Amino acid sequence: MLTKQRSSHSSRLGLLIGLAGVGVGLATGFLIGSTKPLYLGLALGAIPFLFYFFSKFEQAVLGLLVLRTSLDPFSGQQVPAMFALGLDVLTLLYVTVMLLRRQTVRTDRFWWFFAGWVLLQGLWVVLLPLGGLGLGAGYLSDSIREWIRLFSWLMVYLLVMQLKDRIPPQKVISVLFLALISPVVVALMQVFIPSLLPPILSAHSYDVGSLASEGSRIRGTIGHPNGFVTLLLLFIGLTWWKLKQSRQSLLWLLLLGLLAFFYVSTKALFGLMMVATFVVVLVAPRLSPVNLIGGVLFVVLVLGLFASSEFGRERLSSLANTPLLNPDIDVSRAILLSGSDNNSFNWRISQWYSLLNAWRQQPILGYGLGLSTHLVSNGLLPHNDYVRALVEGGIVGLVTFLVFLVVQGVRLVQLMLSAPRGSAQRDLCEILLAILLAIPVGMITENIWSHTTLFFYWMTLMAVAGWNWNEHPPERSAAVLVSPARRF
């Protein structure tokens, strides 16, 4: 009887995959003659991958997680967007198959909050064509694209949750380090042998829609150096965690030093504030001579490397000509100077001033998701995620944005307190909490909310952190079973 049920389930699964393959095939046929060869090749490759995805689910998901850091150089061909859409479709298809087969779809309470939050963001997409926001229906495609980007983070979380109890959480995190290979190799070439790289991977070719190239800034395979620096901070945190968990300290120390070198080579001034916040948050709860010395040495290393270059010294000295450190320069003068002094901080003040003036016309609901670039003549993002949330979503949008950040912090604190003291899970939650508290600091002067690659891996780690790690306090016997606390 059991064999028949399994055979029936397999037949249904094969039928569903076959129908999905037919759908992909029909879409492929429709695209022939009207689509670029790259799109056609991806569509044809989707059919065998669909079968591989269901037959080797764990390997396929891990492969997708590793692949994401290699896609940004092909943004001009919309490959990252197609990857996100494909991942969304795969996740929804997999969940549908699981439900039809009456199998468990793994979620947690944070995922349901996240799903409700993403659904709430869709309110701005609905209101835009109805005339309820500051801009009209002509901008609907941009707003939908932004909502799909947020929805993709939700799908990443859901997809990774399906690996729970199939793969150890430590293994998932170890596999994520493979995603560093392509950006690190390219970053090394950008530093030492840039002439061998094609223009698409050059350290000088990132400045599409930015202020200025500001010389050579390392970005690996990530679209912009500022996006690379936040991704590096995430992996610096994971390397720190590995350093504590592994007995091979030298290997992880070398990797930590290499990531710190690249971190400085991005020449992102806001990154210094983020890494300083990360270290302070991480070291403060366990203030011991070893932790304090290690944290101080790491910050000194980063600051020293940054200040060792002429560009770094110029960036640091430029702060003296801003309202931040110069009492003789007020906001009005900074705005006037922004057009001629090449001071990025003064430019940011001017950008914020223009956007806040626009927000005053639509204070409650703003102008719509992803539409802040349409409110300024230069077409650039605000370089302040709080201003962005306020302009795009109004006061309501800013509140939902802040709530989303706070709830993530609450989630991590709950997981940390429920995990055994000294366990790998608790240490990971402490690392993630330190990164989370550094992100709002960087959001003051940078568009971190647009760093899609960062949040792709952030949501992966948020999902893994909530798994049952089956760890027990080191001082207790392994035979003592501790029932896991109910988690948010």
Side-chain angles (χ1 to χ4, degrees), residues 177 239 242-243 246-259:
F177 279 92
T239 305
K242 276 287 189 179
L243 184 61
S246 176
R247 296 179 179 178
Q248 299 177 348
S249 301
L250 179 61
L251 176 64
W252 296 109
L253 277 174
L254 291 175
L255 179 58
L256 190 63
L258 181 64
L259 295 180

Side-chain angles (χ1 to χ4, degrees), residues 146-177:
E146 176 65 13
W147 185 85
I148 292 176
R149 192 173 72 95
L150 303 179
F151 180 75
S152 296
W153 301 349
L154 178 68
M155 291 297 99
V156 169
Y157 193 105
L158 181 61
L159 187 62
V160 173
M161 281 298 298
Q162 307 319 305
L163 298 177
K164 183 179 179 181
D165 297 331
R166 295 186 179 190
I167 301 179
Q170 295 91 336
K171 181 179 179 180
V172 175
I173 298 175
S174 297
V175 169
L176 290 184
F177 279 92

Side-chain angles (χ1 to χ4, degrees), residues 24-25 28 37-53 90:
V24 173
T28 302
L38 175 62
Y39 297 166
L40 180 59
L42 291 174
L44 290 172
I47 299 176
F49 180 77
L50 189 64
F51 285 90
Y52 175 76
F53 180 79
L90 283 173

Side-chain angles (χ1 to χ4, degrees), residues 90-103:
L90 283 173
T91 304
L92 293 174
L93 180 61
Y94 182 81
V95 169
T96 301
V97 170
M98 295 291 286
L99 292 175
L100 290 175
R101 297 182 65 187
R102 297 181 180 178
Q103 294 185 347

